[in-house]
Amino acid sequence: MVTAAAIDDSSLQLTFVLFLTVVVITLFTALLTAPQRDEISEFYLGNRAMSPLRNGLAMCGDYLSAATLLGSTGLVALTGYDGLMYLGGTTVAWMTVLLLIAEPLHRTGRFTLGDTIALRLPRRQRSVRLALSVCVLAVATLYLVAQLVGSVALLTQFTGVPSATTRTLCVAVIGTFVILYASLGGMPGATVIQIIKAVMLVVGVLFTAGWVLHHYDWNPNALLTAAADRSGNGARFLEPGLRYGGTVSNKLDFLSLELAIVLGLAALPHVLMRLLAPRGSGVLRSSLLWAIGLVGAICLGAGVLGLGATALVGQDAIVGTDRTGNASVLLLAHELGGSLLTALLTCLAYLTLLAVAVGLTLAAASSLAHDLYGEVIRKGRASETEELAVARLSGAVIGVLGILLALVAWGSNTATLAFLAFAMAASAILPTIIYTLFWRRFSAKGALLSLYGGLGCSVLLVVFSPVVSSTEASIYPDADFAWFPLQNPGIVSIPAGFFLGWLGTLLDKGRPEQSDVHEEFEIRMLVGADD
């Protein structure tokens, strides 16, 4: 956390005007495209006739958060090669989604992941839906808090450490916009802001990256040499191990982080919900290819921005402003284009975290309304009007919960919170997805043990990790009860989630699911109802 303003006030004022203008336009458009009828399919899935490019832009917008624009560039600016490796993991994660779960999930799902599990495990579907709703709520809320905390961290670059009133106002305003987009606009409204945000992100990042390369006559070697010279680490800046090298703990931490990123994406609730939106599997494949290309381009641009920040601003200036490196892209923008470019990128960062927060809120609200209320509480007897009302109310409740938790955790590192959400999703939700789709013997008891056990294991390891205590960057820096040495629990909790799903299935002595149920599920997974 910085202690003084990093950027001048004129940039903040211009940012406010630009952000408010974009929000008013997108909110008006979202309300115009919002569901006009009491049909849950329209609220959950939106316009299913969109082209692959528009679907790909929406997927890209759903995934890329402010942590990519601010945290990733900062990581590259401070750690060089290690930061670039992290960006590579972000791109590879989409390949996991494309090759492993996208089409089987799309063919067997309806509105939520719970519908896929219900088709595969019909006898005990309600208990599994309940467990899944708990996990979705936990992951989505933590990721939502990360976005709202990021809004305070971004404001800090302009005002220094904000007062309690300023923090509350910032989080409340962003959170209110999130509730309006999610609860009133549904999936159509969320799609509008995701597409606009993705287009702006691609243009903004690639334009600024091109400006950096132009400064060095489009010679990447010159950029790398200048970044190494001003990094304070010389040639080591361009070699592996600057941050995640040396001790065994550091190397395991990097492996744990990469596992969480690569596997966690395939289990994030808002990404899974987006996979169900395209009407046909062919459109889904093309959409994912667009998403992979767009995410890869932005990650490449973010790497150039990180190196450019070190080369043009200098690592000493970056660390002196913000030791986490989150200010690096804004300092670079100010160095290149003054207040105007700084305001444009800051507005883009706010729009990015707002769009991701909307997708998370909508996914959590859909799971609570459809899986928990519609299928567990009302046992499938709720009308569409009733379920839609619960979905809108759930969006408001989740938004308010996120605001309150963000005000408590405002000093936490945004990227750390986001990566913990990835680890929780990969530990609890991903094993259930994989076993449901590909293991014939998988049972409801295995699903319950995987969901609750994976979530509990990841949360337990986080509580007793350096994220919470024992270091200056911890939530409670003066306390010391961290016996788990790693920042991210993925390397332990992800295998634990898979093991518990396997163990629960072996221990399930109840009547196995009927073979004809599995055969019907398998046929649908391979062929689909729409192909």
Side-chain angles (χ1 to χ4, degrees):
M1 184 64 65
V2 297
T3 57
I7 312 296
D8 56 81
D9 289 339
S10 61
S11 296
L12 178 61
Q13 295 166 2
L14 186 55
T15 297
F16 177 78
V17 173
L18 291 173
F19 178 69
L20 190 61
T21 302
V22 173
V23 166
V24 169
I25 294 173
T26 55
L27 186 57
F28 179 72
T29 307
L31 294 178
L32 284 179
T33 59
Q36 303 299 316
R37 298 163 297 187
D38 291 337
E39 294 183 3
I40 56 176
S41 60
E42 190 177 359
F43 184 86
Y44 292 148
L45 301 180
N47 177 16
R48 304 195 71 194
M50 288 198 308
S51 67
L53 175 57
R54 292 173 65 192
N55 272 311
L57 285 167
M59 291 176 182
C60 174
D62 252 327
Y63 174 64
L64 291 174
S65 67
T68 304
L69 184 60
L70 302 179
S72 300
T73 54
L75 191 60
V76 174
L78 297 184
T79 65
Y81 182 91
D82 286 1
L84 294 174
M85 286 293 292
Y86 156 72
L87 285 173
T90 302
T91 307
V92 170
W94 277 97
M95 298 300 297
T96 306
V97 175
L98 172 64
L99 299 176
L100 194 60
I101 70 163
E103 290 188 49
L105 184 66
H106 180 268
R107 288 173 177 148
T108 56
R110 185 175 175 224
F111 299 136
T112 66
L113 175 61
D115 292 329
T116 297
I117 296 177
L119 190 65
R120 173 66 175 79
L121 305 170
R123 286 196 300 111
R124 296 184 61 186
Q125 60 161 301
R126 292 191 177 92
S127 58
V128 178
R129 281 185 190 264
L130 174 61
L132 183 62
S133 295
V134 171
C135 293
V136 167
L137 182 61
V139 172
T141 302
L142 180 59
Y143 208 171
L144 173 61
V145 169
Q147 305 308 308
L148 296 178
V149 168
S151 69
V152 178
L154 195 55
L155 181 65
T156 301
Q157 311 302 335
F158 297 92
T159 65
V161 177
S163 65
T165 302
T166 304
R167 290 198 304 269
T168 303
L169 183 62
C170 178
V171 172
V173 168
I174 298 295
T176 301
F177 283 134
V178 169
I179 293 172
L180 290 174
Y181 279 106
S183 296
L184 299 181
M187 180 63 87
T191 300
V192 168
I193 189 173
Q194 301 295 5
I195 292 176
I196 293 175
K197 165 246 184 134
V199 172
M200 293 179 63
L201 192 60
V202 170
V203 173
V205 169
L206 295 186
F207 171 78
T208 310
W211 196 336
V212 171
L213 290 173
H214 176 72
H215 186 84
Y216 290 96
D217 297 323
W218 299 93
N219 185 348
N221 286 332
L223 172 61
L224 292 170
T225 301
D229 290 342
R230 300 202 63 184
S231 68
N233 295 287
R236 289 188 60 234
F237 183 75
L238 304 178
E239 299 173 355
L242 189 59
R243 173 170 178 173
Y244 294 110
T247 66
V248 174
S249 178
N250 283 345
K251 295 177 181 178
L252 289 176
D253 222 346
F254 178 71
L255 178 59
S256 186
L257 175 63
E258 289 294 329
L259 277 175
I261 293 172
V262 172
L263 299 180
L265 172 64
L268 289 178
H270 59 309
V271 173
L272 292 174
M273 191 172 181
R274 183 65 66 180
L275 295 179
L276 299 174
R279 186 172 298 279
S281 296
V283 177
L284 175 64
R285 283 192 297 271
S286 299
S287 301
L288 281 168
L289 291 175
W290 272 110
I292 292 170
L294 292 168
V295 170
I298 292 173
C299 288
L300 179 62
V304 173
L305 295 184
L307 294 172
T310 304
L312 294 173
V313 179
Q315 193 171 109
D316 290 341
I318 294 172
V319 174
T321 302
D322 183 352
R323 57 183 174 80
T324 67
N326 286 336
S328 59
V329 69
L330 301 183
L331 293 171
L332 171 65
H334 200 266
E335 180 74 20
L336 289 174
S339 298
L340 179 59
L341 185 59
T342 305
L344 288 171
L345 289 185
T346 307
C347 173
L348 182 55
Y350 270 115
L351 185 62
T352 297
L353 61 88
L354 174 61
V356 173
V358 170
L360 289 164
T361 303
L362 180 61
S366 300
S367 181
L368 292 181
H370 184 65
D371 293 323
L372 182 59
Y373 180 80
E375 299 295 335
V376 176
I377 298 177
R378 296 283 285 135
K379 299 181 179 179
R381 294 191 295 267
S383 66
E384 291 199 2
T385 302
E386 185 180 352
E387 186 174 319
L388 184 58
V390 173
R392 295 186 191 279
L393 179 61
S394 298
V397 171
I398 293 167
V400 171
L401 177 63
I403 291 172
L404 295 177
L405 292 176
L407 291 175
V408 174
W410 71 272
S412 303
N413 185 281
T414 303
T416 299
L417 294 176
F419 296 149
L420 292 179
F422 273 67
M424 289 167 58
S427 304
I429 301 176
L430 183 64
T432 302
I433 297 175
I434 298 299
Y435 286 146
T436 296
L437 295 176
F438 303 114
W439 190 18
R440 186 182 187 89
R441 290 185 56 192
F442 190 51
S443 69
K445 188 172 184 178
L448 292 172
L449 198 57
S450 177
L451 288 167
Y452 286 129
L455 179 64
C457 179
S458 58
V459 171
L460 179 68
L461 293 180
V462 169
V463 169
F464 293 101
S465 75
V467 172
V468 177
S469 69
S470 78
T471 69
E472 292 182 2
S474 301
I475 297 176
Y476 300 106
D478 297 328
D480 187 2
F481 49 85
W483 50 261
F484 183 69
L486 305 182
Q487 294 277 343
N488 192 289
I491 196 171
V492 175
S493 60
I494 296 174
F498 279 95
F499 172 76
L500 291 172
W502 171 81
L503 181 64
T505 300
L506 292 186
L507 296 177
D508 195 347
K509 302 301 183 181
R511 183 165 59 91
E513 297 292 340
Q514 297 178 1
S515 59
D516 58 339
V517 172
H518 180 270
E519 288 175 3
E520 181 183 346
F521 177 85
E522 195 171 43
I523 291 172
R524 186 181 180 111
M525 182 181 70
L526 295 175
V527 179
D530 61 326
D531 293 342

